[in-house]
């Protein structure tokens, strides 16, 4: 449908993404319009395209797919527009004078004869030019949304593009449509390419080929790669662009000269990077080596005596490997400590903290996620921060503003920096961390190299270890208490490529159960019944307090999307006293368990505890919480997260959360749960791997129930062929 009218009320407008709720006065009625409407203000005249939807509480609304601004069609409407405050220097009285003086020629005067405005009393020639410029700038903005719609660029991106390109946005895009590929993440290159070719751009146009190459490289990074073998890139780009290798080689040379890409030679091969990915790896390699070679000014003397005193005071006995790890930390500025569950990594961290704090050293603890930081805090009784919070990254966006690879980070005030769960850290965050560390500071990287690598690009922990340039201790002894846990023992079994241990050994804890089931309906029944009540016989387990369903995949009956629907219906069913909010195909309900699925540095939060009140901003990807309130009057949802902070989400930001009754193994990284229910069914071979199963098992603290086909699980255990990531950090560290 198409509607035409004047904006008579702006009820709500999000400054960041321009999501707007407004009233539009048409010839027949006033109707509420909703959608992404950048540059739209009170008094604007719009032609909107979309459809009528019925809100369960607010009734009929018009959901806008796209729109265009039009000039006011009556003098009364034009006067209201000029008086709306959108045009610099014009208020109600001045608007009335201008329209009275020029009538139907008013718009023409603003556009083509601005000095005529100075004939009105109180308007100087300078002010007239300023008014005209403001009017024409608004006119320019009017054209942008409709223009971008031809390229299938979402309205929500229009404001960001304008901020980058300014008042010449349309001219710049017409001259080089491929600039949109750089400005909008995830844009459909083929759509842009089609429009550009329709504009008459030649297939062998230099800008087209360069854009296609950079797009191809960016696609590779979505799978964790930082670079691509040149021969493979050329072959892919040939198919994408339908040009010969000669044109691609020429473009590669030019891109390399201008440092938009970097071509790195390794032995007889050439690898191609987008510049920021290369620069991040280079920064990491250089800083790690410089840091490690710096003078060891934080070293503690008489280490053997100090360790004996700590063992006596804390009533612990350190293993040889643990002692070696602590000594390596003392002797080196960079040290890596890796090992599986139950091998004493936490004991090493606690001992390091005690050792260096005793000598007046300041220790900073951090981890990639909020849950991992919280777990580190609980284990050490010392505050651990997320890397984002520690580094005060602030507005650095998770959609990777990769041009900010040289972003300035404030130096850390710490003598020792201990990072846990380093397997989750990608090249960009590691780059920022190393930028913040003074020479002479000790850096201790702790993690399990056999877990899944980071979601972002790179394989940082593995690359650093494989370089063999830094002191690395592999903790492999399972300590007595952990050795009684079938969860721990089975994690190590899987990591060795072996099937689960027998249930017959009664000396072990009854904390691991395997249900051999092939039928998906039966697996689903087990998941639901275990989540609801079956586990009450084994302990004081309540789903919302200490049970989590983890699954390898998002798709299918046993993927997160479907499982979340079943689990919501089972554990938090619809009742008359629970408020709800429907968002697309999903219903959010008071009491739901939810997860933040992107970094939001702006969202406000409060935390109220017995001893203090805290206020801040920022909720990050992977944080879990529960919906406490849905307010249809204020149009917001209140969520209380697991770390006790409370945030309010405007309805239009609901897209940032999803149900978390069931989460993927990848999303569970860095977290531990008392009870994990792990359904496994046939899925993509990329997901049915040993390290994914190993990672899932190590999420459980007190109980793990694995449900699935024995053959599929056995194939996972045997499948150690993890998808190799193309990266160059190990090479850079080794040269």
């Amino acid at each position: 449908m198409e509607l035409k009218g004047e904006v008579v009320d702006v009820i709500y407008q999000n400054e960041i993404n321009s999501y707007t709720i407004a009233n539009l006065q048409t010839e027949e009625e006033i109707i509420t319009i909703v959608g992404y409407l950048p540059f739209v203000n009170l008094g604007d005249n719009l032609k909107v395209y979309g459809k009528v939807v019925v809100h369960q509480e607010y009734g009929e609304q018009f959901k806008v797919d796209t729109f265009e601004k039009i000039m006011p069609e009556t003098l009364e409407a034009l006067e209201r527009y000029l008086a709306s405050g959108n045009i610099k220097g014009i208020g109600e009285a001045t608007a009335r004078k201008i329209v009275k003086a020029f009538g139907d020629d008013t718009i023409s005067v603003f556009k083509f004869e601005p000095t005529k405005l100075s004939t009105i009393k109180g308007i100087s020639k300078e002010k007239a030019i300023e008014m005209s410029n403001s009017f024409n700038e608004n006119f320019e903005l009017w054209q942008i949304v409709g223009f971008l719609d031809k390229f299938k660029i979402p309205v929500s991106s229009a404001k960001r593009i304008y901020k980058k390109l300014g008042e010449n946005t349309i001219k710049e895009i017409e001259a080089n449509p491929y600039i949109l590929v750089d400005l909008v993440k995830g844009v459909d290159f083929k759509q842009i390419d089609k429009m550009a070719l329709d504009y008459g751009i030649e297939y062998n146009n230099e800008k087209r080929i360069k854009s296609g190459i950079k797009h191809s490289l960016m696609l590779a990074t979505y799978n964790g790669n930082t670079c691509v073998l040149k021969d493979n890139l050329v072959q892919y780009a040939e198919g994408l662009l339908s040009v010969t290798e000669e044109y691609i080689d020429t473009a590669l040379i030019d891109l390399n000269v201008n440092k938009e890409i970097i071509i790195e030679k390794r032995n007889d091969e050439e690898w191609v990077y987008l510049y920021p990915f290369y620069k991040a790896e280079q920064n990491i390699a250089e800083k790690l080596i410089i840091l490690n070679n710096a003078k060891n000014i934080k070293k503690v003397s008489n280490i053997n005596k100090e360790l004996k005193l700590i063992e006596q005071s804390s009533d612990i006995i350190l293993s040889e490997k643990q002692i070696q790890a602590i000594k390596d930390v003392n002797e080196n500025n960079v040290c890596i400590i890796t090992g599986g569950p139950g091998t004493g990594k936490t004991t090493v961290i606690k001992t390091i903290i005690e050792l260096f704090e005793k000598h007046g050293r300041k220790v900073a603890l951090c981890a990639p996620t909020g849950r991992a930081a919280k777990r580190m805090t609980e284990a050490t009784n010392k505050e651990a921060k997320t890397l984002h919070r520690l580094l005060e990254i602030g507005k650095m966006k998770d959609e990777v503003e990769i041009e900010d690879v040289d972003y300035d980070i404030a130096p850390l005030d710490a003598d020792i920096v201990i990072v846990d769960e380093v397997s989750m850290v990608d090249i960009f965050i590691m780059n920022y961390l190393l930028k913040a560390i003074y020479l002479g500071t000790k850096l201790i990287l702790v993690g399990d190299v056999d877990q899944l690598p980071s979601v972002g690009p790179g394989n940082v922990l593995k690359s650093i270890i494989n370089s063999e340039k830094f002191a690395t201790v592999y903790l492999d002894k399972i300590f007595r208490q952990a050795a009684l846990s079938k969860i721990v023992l089975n994690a190590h079994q899987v990591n060795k490529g072996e099937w689960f241990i027998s249930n017959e050994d009664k000396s072990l804890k009854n904390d691991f159960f395997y249900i051999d089931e092939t039928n998906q309906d039966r697996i689903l029944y087990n998941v639901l019944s275990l989540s609801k009540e079956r586990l009450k016989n084994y302990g004081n387990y309540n789903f919302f307090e200490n049970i989590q369903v983890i699954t390898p995949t998002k798709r299918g009956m046993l993927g997160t999307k479907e499982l979340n629907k079943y689990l919501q219906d089972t554990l938090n069913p619809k009742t008359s006293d629970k408020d709800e909010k429907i968002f697309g195909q999903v219903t959010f309900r008071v009491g739901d368990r939810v997860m933040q699925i992107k970094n939001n540095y702006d969202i406000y939060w409060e935390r109220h505890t017995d001893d203090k009140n805290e206020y801040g901003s920022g909720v990050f990807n992977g944080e879990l919480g529960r919906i406490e309130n849905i307010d249809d009057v204020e149009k917001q949802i209140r969520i209380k997260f697991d770390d006790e902070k409370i945030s309010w989400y405007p309805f239009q930001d609901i897209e940032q959360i999803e149900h978390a009754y069931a989460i993927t193994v990848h999303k569970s990284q860095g977290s531990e749960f008392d009870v994990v229910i792990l359904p496994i069914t046939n899925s993509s071979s990329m997901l049915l791997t040993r390290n994914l199963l190993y990672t899932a098992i190590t999420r459980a603290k007190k109980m793990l129930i694995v449900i699935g086909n024995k053959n599929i699980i056995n194939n996972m255990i045997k499948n150690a062929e993890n998808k190799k990531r193309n990266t160059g950090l190990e090479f850079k560290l080794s040269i």
Side-chain angles (χ1 to χ4, degrees):
M1 285 180 62
E2 175 187 309
L3 292 179
K4 193 160 65 171
E6 179 183 343
V7 177
V8 293
D9 186 18
V10 177
I11 300 167
Y12 173 83
Q13 189 167 56
N14 184 297
E15 289 184 10
I16 297 171
N17 63 16
S18 300
Y19 184 87
T20 303
I21 303 169
N23 285 334
L24 189 75
Q25 172 75 66
T26 68
E27 287 186 359
E28 295 83 19
E29 61 178 339
I30 294 178
I31 187 166
T32 300
I33 59 173
V34 296
Y36 295 98
L37 305 174
F39 321 123
V40 167
N41 301 293
L42 186 68
D44 284 347
N45 285 254
L46 305 180
K47 190 185 286 184
V48 295
Y49 306 87
K51 59 177 179 283
V52 174
V53 295
V54 179
H55 188 279
Q56 63 186 106
E57 182 168 341
Y58 300 111
E60 277 195 2
Q61 296 178 334
F62 190 88
K63 185 177 180 184
V64 179
D65 292 326
T66 189
F67 73 97
E68 59 181 287
K69 287 192 181 185
I70 55 177
M71 286 294 184
E73 295 180 344
T74 67
L75 293 180
E76 292 81 6
L78 178 57
E79 184 179 319
R80 284 195 298 271
Y81 172 70
L82 293 176
S84 65
N86 298 326
I87 310 302
K88 193 172 182 181
I90 301 180
E92 287 185 19
T94 305
R96 192 178 308 116
K97 290 177 186 176
I98 292 172
V99 173
K100 185 176 180 181
F102 302 109
D104 292 335
D105 294 328
T106 299
I107 291 172
S108 178
V109 168
F110 270 102
K111 291 180 69 175
F112 306 114
E113 301 175 280
T115 54
K116 279 189 176 182
L117 294 169
S118 63
T119 61
I120 295 172
K121 188 177 180 181
I123 301 179
S124 64
K125 283 190 177 181
E126 291 77 14
K127 191 173 181 183
I129 297 298
E130 187 179 46
M131 288 175 177
S132 173
N133 289 340
S134 180
F135 183 92
N136 290 323
E137 182 181 334
N138 273 271
F139 183 78
E140 178 79 18
L141 296 180
W142 294 0
Q143 316 305 311
I144 290 173
V145 173
F147 176 76
L148 291 173
D149 185 58
K150 298 175 188 175
F151 294 89
K152 303 299 182 193
I153 299 295
V155 174
S156 56
S157 298
K159 205 166 191 175
R160 182 170 182 245
I161 292 169
Y162 178 74
K163 281 182 179 177
K164 290 278 187 180
L165 301 181
E167 60 185 32
N168 293 319
T169 294
I170 292 176
K171 287 181 182 177
E172 290 212 27
I173 294 171
E174 284 178 335
N176 178 19
Y178 297 101
I179 198 170
L180 293 169
V181 178
D182 294 330
L183 293 177
V184 185
K185 186 181 179 188
V187 71
D188 185 347
F189 175 82
K190 291 183 179 178
Q191 176 66 30
I192 305 293
D193 194 35
K194 181 179 182 302
M195 291 296 299
L197 293 170
D198 288 346
Y199 272 148
I201 286 180
E202 299 289 337
Y203 271 78
N204 60 0
N205 179 280
E206 181 185 28
K207 292 173 181 173
R208 176 177 184 262
I209 295 169
K210 287 179 179 179
S211 181
I213 289 169
K214 290 194 288 184
H215 171 70
S216 303
L217 288 168
M218 184 58 77
L219 285 178
T221 69
Y222 296 159
N223 292 320
N225 303 300
T226 61
C227 54
V228 176
L229 201 58
K230 182 184 174 185
D231 291 344
N232 293 344
L233 174 65
V234 171
Q235 185 179 353
Y236 181 84
E238 279 184 280
L240 176 71
L241 299 167
S242 299
V243 296
T244 62
E245 184 177 338
E246 177 187 358
Y247 287 108
I248 294 168
D249 280 337
T250 301
L252 284 169
I253 291 168
D254 197 47
L255 286 167
N256 190 43
V257 167
N258 291 310
K259 289 194 172 180
E260 293 181 69
I261 66 167
I262 299 291
I263 300 175
E264 179 178 70
K265 291 186 178 180
R266 300 183 212 154
N267 303 320
D268 296 326
E269 295 178 329
E270 290 184 306
W271 293 85
V272 187
Y273 290 79
L274 287 166
Y275 171 78
F277 291 80
Y278 177 86
K279 185 64 175 173
E281 281 190 353
Q282 186 183 53
N283 288 349
I284 293 168
E286 289 178 354
K287 188 62 185 283
L288 279 173
I289 290 167
I290 291 170
L291 194 63
N292 201 43
N293 291 338
K295 188 175 180 181
N296 187 0
I297 58 177
K298 306 293 164 57
K299 182 176 178 179
V300 172
S301 303
N302 299 317
I303 186 71
N304 290 324
K305 179 182 176 183
E306 295 284 356
L307 290 178
K308 278 190 173 24
L309 290 172
I310 290 173
E311 283 183 318
Q312 290 169 7
S313 64
S314 57
D315 197 26
I316 60 169
I317 299 175
L318 297 166
S319 70
E320 287 185 20
K321 283 281 185 76
Q322 287 176 316
I323 291 172
Q324 184 61 50
I326 297 161
K327 286 183 175 180
D328 279 356
V329 167
N330 194 47
E331 292 294 329
N332 299 276
N333 289 328
V334 178
C335 185
I336 297 93
I337 300 167
T338 186
T343 55
K345 296 191 295 293
T346 300
T347 300
V348 171
I349 291 173
K350 289 166 72 174
T351 306
I352 290 168
I353 294 169
E354 186 174 347
L355 173 67
F356 285 97
E357 284 191 339
K358 181 180 175 183
H359 289 268
R361 305 301 190 194
K362 187 172 182 179
V363 181
L365 306 181
C366 58
T369 67
R371 290 185 69 87
K374 182 182 178 184
R375 196 154 52 85
M376 199 178 186
T377 299
E378 291 168 349
T380 61
N381 291 318
K382 181 177 175 62
E383 184 188 14
K385 296 180 178 179
T386 63
L387 280 161
H388 285 89
R389 187 176 164 208
L390 180 75
L391 300 174
E392 298 180 348
I393 288 174
K395 300 294 181 183
M396 183 74 72
K397 303 300 184 189
D398 71 327
E399 56 195 44
V400 187
E401 297 280 4
I402 56 174
E403 65 271 20
D404 289 331
V405 69
D406 292 318
Y407 182 80
D408 288 330
I409 301 288
L412 290 175
D413 179 19
D415 300 300
I416 319 290
V417 177
I418 305 176
V419 191
D420 200 8
E421 297 283 0
V422 180
S423 62
M424 298 177 67
V425 178
D426 65 31
I427 57 166
F428 291 111
I429 297 299
M430 182 58 75
N431 173 43
Y432 303 140
L433 172 65
L434 290 168
K435 278 173 170 289
I437 294 179
Y438 282 111
L439 287 186
T441 300
K442 286 184 178 292
L443 175 64
I444 304 159
L445 303 176
V446 184
D448 188 342
V449 74
D450 294 314
Q451 286 189 21
L452 291 169
S454 59
V455 175
N459 200 346
V460 173
L461 180 61
K462 192 168 189 176
S463 297
I464 294 172
I465 291 173
N466 288 351
S467 74
E468 298 183 350
K469 285 293 179 75
F470 307 95
T472 302
V473 177
Y474 295 84
L475 300 176
D476 51 14
K477 177 185 175 182
I478 305 174
F479 284 85
R480 190 174 70 175
Q481 187 174 358
L484 297 176
S485 167
K486 292 178 187 174
I487 296 173
V488 171
L489 295 176
N490 279 322
H492 287 274
Q493 285 285 108
V494 167
N495 207 27
K496 291 186 293 185
E498 298 175 8
W499 184 256
F500 307 139
I501 60 173
S502 167
N503 277 332
E504 295 175 3
D505 191 340
K506 303 301 180 186
S507 65
L508 301 178
K509 292 180 186 175
N510 212 23
D511 61 358
F512 181 98
F513 299 91
Y514 168 58
I515 301 173
D516 187 0
E517 183 57 73
T518 58
N519 182 280
Q520 288 201 43
D521 289 318
R522 290 291 306 166
I523 296 175
L524 176 62
Y525 164 78
N526 275 292
V527 170
L528 297 179
S529 60
L530 286 164
S531 298
K532 189 173 183 181
E533 55 196 14
R534 270 170 63 188
L535 294 180
K536 288 180 180 176
N537 295 331
Y538 293 88
N540 187 25
Y541 296 132
N542 174 281
F543 187 89
F544 291 101
E545 293 176 8
N546 42 31
I547 300 174
Q548 181 64 55
V549 177
I550 298 177
T551 178
T553 180
K554 292 180 179 179
R555 299 183 177 90
M557 181 190 289
L558 298 173
T560 53
K561 290 187 177 180
E562 291 302 314
L563 276 175
N564 273 314
K565 292 177 185 175
Y566 290 121
L567 286 162
Q568 183 193 40
D569 289 343
T570 301
L571 301 167
N572 190 30
K574 181 181 180 71
T575 59
S576 59
D577 61 337
K578 287 181 190 169
D579 290 327
E580 295 183 348
K581 171 64 181 171
I582 296 173
F583 182 76
Q585 303 297 312
V586 180
T587 299
F588 289 102
R589 187 174 296 143
V590 170
D592 278 344
R593 177 184 282 175
V594 292
M595 173 186 280
Q596 174 79 10
I597 58 171
K598 62 183 290 188
N599 289 342
N600 184 331
Y601 299 89
D602 302 306
I603 199 161
Y604 172 78
W605 56 259
E606 298 178 1
R607 184 188 288 117
H608 304 288
T609 57
D610 292 338
D611 54 341
K612 63 179 176 178
N613 296 320
E614 295 178 86
Y615 308 90
S617 62
V619 181
F620 301 106
N621 188 357
E623 294 199 48
L624 292 167
R626 288 188 75 185
I627 295 176
E628 287 193 326
N629 179 262
I630 297 175
D631 188 335
D632 267 326
V633 176
E634 297 294 331
K635 296 181 175 56
Q636 62 183 13
I637 290 179
R638 186 175 76 223
I639 299 173
K640 185 174 185 179
F641 288 93
D642 286 356
D643 62 357
E644 303 298 317
K645 68 171 175 273
I646 296 169
S647 291
W648 289 262
Y649 283 67
F651 281 175
Q652 71 274 4
D653 287 343
I654 294 177
E655 63 190 21
Q656 298 182 26
I657 60 171
E658 64 182 26
H659 283 124
Y661 296 93
I663 61 176
T664 62
V665 178
H666 285 85
K667 287 289 189 183
S668 74
Q669 278 185 272
S671 301
E672 278 188 346
F673 308 93
D674 286 348
V675 179
V676 169
I677 301 169
L678 177 63
I680 294 176
T681 188
N682 211 359
S683 183
S684 163
S685 58
M686 289 175 59
L687 296 173
L688 298 179
T689 63
R690 180 188 296 175
N691 69 343
L692 186 135
L693 179 60
Y694 172 73
T695 302
I697 290 172
T698 56
R699 301 308 93 203
K701 286 197 293 185
K702 296 182 179 178
M703 183 179 293
L704 173 67
I705 304 106
V706 182
I707 315 165
N709 183 305
K710 188 169 186 177
N711 291 332
I712 293 172
I713 296 171
N714 198 43
N715 286 337
M716 289 180 78
I717 293 171
K718 300 301 179 189
N719 182 14
E721 297 299 319
N722 305 320
K723 188 172 167 74
K724 184 179 181 295
R725 292 188 168 190
N726 294 323
T727 70
L729 179 57
E730 181 183 337
F731 171 77
K732 291 177 180 65
L733 287 167
S734 301
I735 57 178

